[in-house]
């Protein structure tokens, strides 16, 4: 890494906005940084560029950073996650024939009601010899874990009652259109592209499954943090400023126009602007619905890397990989998230800095004041749809209680 130049890999998704806007709107320049952005189409390629030094940092699905540090599927490489690029922002979109069987009206489904109907259809499809098939963007993605968490909680067994395959985000609408899959769980704007093309209907947003689910993160090799810590701090500050800019309603149209460019998302402006504004068009031609917290990029210290969120992702990793909980693995998973780096970068900035590094996930029922070493921190409701909570100090007990 040159002292003032950082190469960041990304996928064409709305939640790649912060590094893009940090570059385009001068927040990186204000920190003495030059960001070069490297666009890819699969998470595996984003990861490989980072590991082999073709990039210095990456916009990455959070579980993939943990899986890489743990050596799941390849030799382990220590990664550091000092900044969360966003919470939520994904949706489950169904092919129209399936949507017509399990959904009513023009609104989002209810996770429990929709799940019960989907279970009936899944059983019928199993009996007919062709399981329902869902596409997710990577085996180690929050999309995969959110989809599986919901399906299992409503009595549908992933990998048994339904099939789950991997599809790159930019190809998800095409997979629905040709009947390759019956549903997708993907980030924006690709759910909305499927809806606008008339090939899918948004059934749920992932904020309905876990209201504050961690999504994309900034990932770096641990050695980069060690060798260029001061540069990393400046990058965190630039991204934090970009997050404040991104959520300002006055900047929405300009941000959408930047993201829509061919070198970034190469997608229509309108679905990008809808996502930024927490508006979701569920079916083609319908008025977009306002979905509070659909995307979550700044307030409530949304960019803080909670170790407890990393622990939840690890719990789902062992659950669906069929491996036992291991104390050393749990420690590595949680230590991949680096709240110490976040605090060091933003000390003196006035940004709220949580005093704790972990919390009980899914346990906040309303807006509450949280302990902070700087600024005033308020945290909003963060439930899982099934009412469970997650204690990062008892991962094994949590897993035993799940269906």
């Amino acid at each position: 890494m040159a002292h003032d130049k950082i190469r960041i890999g990304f996928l064409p998704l709305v939640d790649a906005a912060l590094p893009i806007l940090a570059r385009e709107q001068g927040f990186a320049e204000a920190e003495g940084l030059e960001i070069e952005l490297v666009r890819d189409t699969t998470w595996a390629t984003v990861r490989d560029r980072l590991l082999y030094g073709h990039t210095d940092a990456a916009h990455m699905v959070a579980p993939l950073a943990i899986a890489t540090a743990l050596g799941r599927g390849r030799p382990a490489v220590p990664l550091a996650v000092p900044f969360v690029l966003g919470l939520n922002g994904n949706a489950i979109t169904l092919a129209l024939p399936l949507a017509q069987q399990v959904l009513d009206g023009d609104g989002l489904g209810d996770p429990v009601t929709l799940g019960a109907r989907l279970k009936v259809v899944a059983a019928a499809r199993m009996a007919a010899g062709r399981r329902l098939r869902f596409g997710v963007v990577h085996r180690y993605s929050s999309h995969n874990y959110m989809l599986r968490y919901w399906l299992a909680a409503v009595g549908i067994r992933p990998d048994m009652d339904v099939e789950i395959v991997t599809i790159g985000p930019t190809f998800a609408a095409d997979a629905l259109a040709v009947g390759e899959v019956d549903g997708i769980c993907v980030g924006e704007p690709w759910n909305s592209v499927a809806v606008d093309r008339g090939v899918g209907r948004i059934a749920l947003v992932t904020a309905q499954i876990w209201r504050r689910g961690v999504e994309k993160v900034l990932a770096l090799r641990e050695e980069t943090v060690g060798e260029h810590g001061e540069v990393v701090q400046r990058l965190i500050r630039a991204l934090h400023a970009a997050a404040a800019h991104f959520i300002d309603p006055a900047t929405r149209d300009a941000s959408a126009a930047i993201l829509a460019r061919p070198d970034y998302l190469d997608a229509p402006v309108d679905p990008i602007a809808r996502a930024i504004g927490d508006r979701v068009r569920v079916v083609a031609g319908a008025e977009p619905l306002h979905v509070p917290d659909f995307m979550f990029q700044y307030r409530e210290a949304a960019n803080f890397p909670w170790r407890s969120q990393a622990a939840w992702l690890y719990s789902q990793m062992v659950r669906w990989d069929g491996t036992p909980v291991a104390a050393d693995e749990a420690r590595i998973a949680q230590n991949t998230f680096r709240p110490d780096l976040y605090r060091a970068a933003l000390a003196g900035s006035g940004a709220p800095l949580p005093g704790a590094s972990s919390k009980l996930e899914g346990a906040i029922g309303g807006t509450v004041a949280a302990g902070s070493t700087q600024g005033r921190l308020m945290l909003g409701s963060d439930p899982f749809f099934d009412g469970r909570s997650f204690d990062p100090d008892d991962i094994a007990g949590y897993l035993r209680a799940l269906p």
Side-chain angles (χ1 to χ4, degrees), residues 170-234:
T170 55
F171 303 115
D174 297 321
L176 277 180
V178 300
E180 182 180 324
V181 293
D182 301 289
I184 54 175
C185 185
V186 68
E188 284 294 85
W190 305 111
N191 298 284
S192 292
V193 167
V195 169
D196 291 346
R197 284 178 55 184
V199 299
R201 169 181 172 154
I202 295 176
L204 295 174
V205 299
T206 50
Q208 293 174 276
I209 299 170
W210 181 15
R211 184 72 172 221
R212 292 287 184 272
V214 61
E215 182 45 45
K216 305 302 189 306
V217 298
L218 177 75
L220 306 96
R221 296 185 307 278
E222 203 170 72
E223 65 187 57
T224 300
V225 173
E227 295 171 5
H228 303 281
E230 188 270 339
V231 176
V232 173
Q233 287 193 15
R234 286 191 276 145

Side-chain angles (χ1 to χ4, degrees), residues 328-352:
D328 58 335
E329 281 197 338
R331 183 173 61 255
I332 291 169
Q334 294 186 63
N335 288 346
T336 301
F337 277 35
R338 295 291 301 276
D340 58 317
L341 298 178
Y342 182 95
R343 292 190 185 100
L346 295 174
S349 69

Side-chain angles (χ1 to χ4, degrees), residues 6-21 23-24 35-50 54-61 64 85 169-170 188-190 216-219 239 258-267 272:
I6 300 177
R7 286 168 55 87
I8 302 177
F10 76 99
L11 249 55
L13 294 155
V14 176
D15 57 23
L18 303 192
I20 293 171
L21 294 177
R23 180 183 190 273
E24 293 288 344
I35 291 178
E36 179 184 346
L37 292 160
V38 181
R39 184 180 190 267
D40 274 309
T41 56
T42 71
W43 290 116
T45 309
V46 169
R47 176 202 58 200
D48 289 350
R49 283 192 197 275
L50 179 66
H54 296 194
T55 55
D56 305 301
H59 158 245
M60 186 177 283
V61 277
L64 184 55
L85 294 171
T170 55
E188 284 294 85
W190 305 111
K216 305 302 189 306
V217 298
L218 177 75
L239 294 172
I258 291 169
L259 295 177
R261 293 177 188 171
D263 47 343
Y264 294 138
L265 273 61
D266 192 20
I272 296 171

Side-chain angles (χ1 to χ4, degrees), residues 61-90:
V61 277
L64 184 55
I66 294 168
T68 302
L70 289 173
R72 297 277 171 135
R74 54 161 300 115
V77 177
L79 295 186
V81 170
F83 191 90
V84 172
L85 294 171
L87 309 176
N88 305 339
N90 298 328

Side-chain angles (χ1 to χ4, degrees), residues 1 24 36 41 81 95 112 129 144 146 186 269 280 309 318 349:
M1 181 194 293
E24 293 288 344
E36 179 184 346
T41 56
V81 170
V112 175
N144 186 32
M146 289 287 196
V186 68
V269 171
V280 177
Q309 293 181 340
V318 300
S349 69

Side-chain angles (χ1 to χ4, degrees), residues 148-171:
R148 287 170 178 271
Y149 186 91
W150 169 58
L151 291 174
V154 298
I156 300 171
R157 298 169 299 174
D159 306 319
M160 298 177 69
D161 301 332
V162 298
E163 185 180 0
I164 298 176
V165 299
T166 299
I167 298 172
T170 55
F171 303 115

